[in-house]
Amino acid sequence: MSIMAQDDNLGDIEIRQRLFSCVAATGAEMLVYRGTASDSYIDAFDDADRTQWFESSVRLQTQVLSRLLRGHRIHFLVAPGPSRFTSSPRAILKSLANLANMVLARLSGGTVHIVGRAYRGNGLTRAIEVLALRLANTATVRDRLSSELVSGRASAMPDLAFMGCPQLGGARDRIAISVREEPDLDESAFEAPVAAARDLGLKPVFVTQVKRDNPWMSRMARAHGAELLEWDGATHRAQRDAVEKLYRSSALVLSNRLHGLIMGAMAGAYPVPIVSGGNTKLVPTLAPTFGDVPSIAAKEVSSITPAKLSALVSHWQGAELGRMLHTSAATLEQHLAHVAASISKE
């Protein structure tokens, strides 16, 4: 499998860790592609010391073929996360290489698992992915749109970051704001939610959980005289711990970062998506867990009032957040248990 993703994004670690731990628990030999991922990114994974890491895909492929020739069963896993169908030569070659490895895995008596993907686009790689899904022992996606795009060959279920034990309850006197820059958002727009939070007795905190957001989060905190949880020199593991701790003291998390919303929800904060025009990720991905999710259009952030913020709190208080989170976690645990059983099966 590969855990290569955006090195500065805590959410990419969250979803890959769930699958990584599932496989590690089987005791199978793990050959994992890390590419250019930093040591700090790798060290954030539990059981990382029991894994053979590969910076070179060629070397990893050589090791896989060597084990295949020695009669080993090969299990090929496609890690969770977004995949855009394109017609670029590089994307086509990568998809074909994955497909070839899936064929080898099945010929070895092993299994293929495509877990928690999110498909968008309509390029030539779509046809290759549909073939791959036919080879897979299990295939899941994290939203209904992705399932429809591959003609229902993958089942929709919650994002893997919903797996685990939610941290509910406790004193919550903050509102966490974790946002990426978008053309229809500017710094002045957040004057309204900051003021609304303070009117409700909540302390606004700007949070960096994707490192490239740090300069903007810092500017926003200064501009609005708010608290800041920056990412400045901390390891991935330390930053994740700090972010989760802050979310556990937050009543709401206001974000256009998918895993800001999910990590916040798992820490007991009510998720409030900020949706820019054309965004098809946030609300559809939250839907398998929460159903209809009240969101705020990016152009409406500047008009958030205390009454609007209070209404969002009231919605979630009546939505049985804990029950929804526990149901999603149980669904994911059952699915990954099936994956682990197929790998462990002799």
Side-chain angles (χ1 to χ4, degrees), residues 63-320:
Q63 292 298 315
V64 170
L65 291 173
S66 171
R67 283 156 179 77
L68 181 70
L69 292 173
R70 297 203 303 268
H72 291 204
R73 295 171 65 232
I74 305 297
H75 304 282
F76 189 81
L77 294 99
V78 179
S83 176
R84 177 160 290 277
F85 297 142
T86 76
S87 298
S88 75
R90 181 177 180 179
I92 291 171
L93 286 173
K94 181 179 178 180
S95 294
L96 288 173
N98 281 343
L99 183 63
N101 276 314
M102 293 177 194
V103 171
L104 291 176
R106 294 305 299 267
L107 289 174
S108 75
T111 58
V112 173
H113 304 280
I114 301 173
V115 182
R117 301 294 278 169
Y119 299 125
R120 295 293 188 271
N122 197 29
L124 291 176
T125 54
R126 178 182 175 185
I128 302 171
E129 189 67 30
V130 169
L131 285 174
L133 291 167
R134 289 177 177 174
L135 287 173
N137 297 79
T138 59
T140 61
V141 289
R142 68 187 188 189
D143 60 47
R144 177 183 53 80
L145 295 176
S146 296
S147 181
E148 292 174 353
L149 199 56
V150 292
S151 304
R153 295 188 180 278
S155 302
M157 65 173 50
D159 185 281
L160 278 185
F162 281 112
M163 184 174 171
C165 182
Q167 305 293 310
L168 307 174
R172 296 182 179 272
D173 61 352
R174 296 173 172 180
I175 175 172
I177 304 172
S178 182
V179 288
R180 64 194 287 174
E181 291 190 78
E182 294 285 0
D184 51 0
L185 274 176
D186 58 48
E187 291 176 20
S188 63
F190 286 87
E191 183 177 341
V194 165
R198 286 170 172 156
D199 282 350
L200 294 177
L202 299 173
K203 293 183 289 187
V205 184
F206 288 90
V207 182
T208 300
Q209 71 168 62
V210 178
K211 201 166 191 176
R212 77 196 81 134
D213 295 338
N214 211 43
W216 198 37
M217 293 296 89
S218 298
R219 291 200 307 272
M220 295 255 271
R222 288 195 301 271
H224 301 298
E227 187 178 342
L228 169 69
L229 175 55
E230 63 181 334
W231 191 346
D232 185 16
T235 65
H236 288 70
R237 186 180 289 271
Q239 186 69 11
R240 181 178 61 190
D241 290 346
V243 168
E244 289 177 345
K245 180 180 179 181
L246 187 140
Y247 286 156
R248 287 195 295 272
S249 66
S250 299
L252 294 169
V253 56
L254 189 64
S255 183
N256 57 6
R257 288 285 187 189
L258 174 62
H259 289 99
L261 296 165
I262 297 177
M263 289 171 69
M266 291 296 287
Y270 302 135
V272 181
I274 300 174
V275 182
S276 294
N279 185 290
T280 61
K281 179 168 71 172
L282 301 183
V283 173
T285 308
L286 296 174
T289 296
F290 299 124
D292 292 332
V293 180
S295 61
I296 297 174
K299 62 183 179 181
E300 297 174 355
V301 169
S302 61
S303 61
I304 292 177
T305 62
K308 172 75 170 179
L309 215 52
S310 182
L312 290 167
V313 173
S314 296
H315 166 85
W316 284 110
Q317 286 177 337
E320 300 182 88

Side-chain angles (χ1 to χ4, degrees), residues 40-58:
S40 176
Y41 178 92
I42 298 301
D43 289 343
F45 285 83
D46 297 331
D47 301 310
D49 57 339
R50 297 170 50 195
T51 303
Q52 295 186 53
W53 298 99
F54 294 86
E55 296 180 4
S56 165
S57 59
V58 173

